[in-house]
Amino acid sequence: MLLILYKVYPGADATFTIYEDAGDGYDCKRKGNVTYTLHWDDSHRQLSISARKGSYKKMVKRRQLTFVMPDGYQQTVVYDGKKAIVTLTANN
């Protein structure tokens, strides 16, 4: 399973689109690619992960996403391409 680490810096809402492909040339249109979106809702301290769009041969279907806050708080989720919501709370 692929492990990916994201650092989350609260203070404002933000949205990022993650793009990946096979990484073996410029044939991303023909061979396929994958995108998913991370959206940080600052007032609710929630990170939404969209459903995966697209596919390609040999893509990683499940990955472990770890989200880290500035205070060191971490939360890990296994992402299998389905929409997910993660609530990140600060250490007290």
Side-chain angles (χ1 to χ4, degrees):
M1 183 178 322
L2 182 65
L3 169 65
I4 300 175
L5 179 77
Y6 292 105
K7 292 201 175 196
V8 178
Y9 295 94
D13 291 353
T15 301
F16 298 93
T17 299
I18 309 301
Y19 170 89
E20 66 181 62
D21 59 30
D24 58 359
Y26 294 100
D27 294 333
C28 60
K29 296 284 187 199
R30 185 172 59 84
K31 291 184 178 179
N33 60 67
V34 167
T35 61
Y36 59 95
T37 301
L38 303 177
H39 174 74
W40 173 249
D41 179 339
D42 197 61
S43 64
H44 293 100
R45 298 185 65 84
Q46 287 185 331
L47 190 90
S48 300
I49 310 165
S50 73
R52 180 174 46 226
K53 294 180 184 175
S55 66
Y56 61 92
K57 191 176 181 178
K58 298 183 183 179
M59 75 176 198
V60 176
K61 292 184 171 91
R62 289 174 40 122
R63 58 193 63 231
Q64 188 174 336
L65 306 178
T66 299
F67 301 99
V68 181
M69 300 296 283
D71 67 357
Y73 176 82
Q74 295 184 32
Q75 186 153 343
T76 300
V77 116
V78 175
Y79 177 67
D80 62 0
K82 296 177 184 159
K83 182 179 178 179
I85 296 176
V86 180
T87 300
L88 299 168
T89 57
N91 287 331
N92 292 323

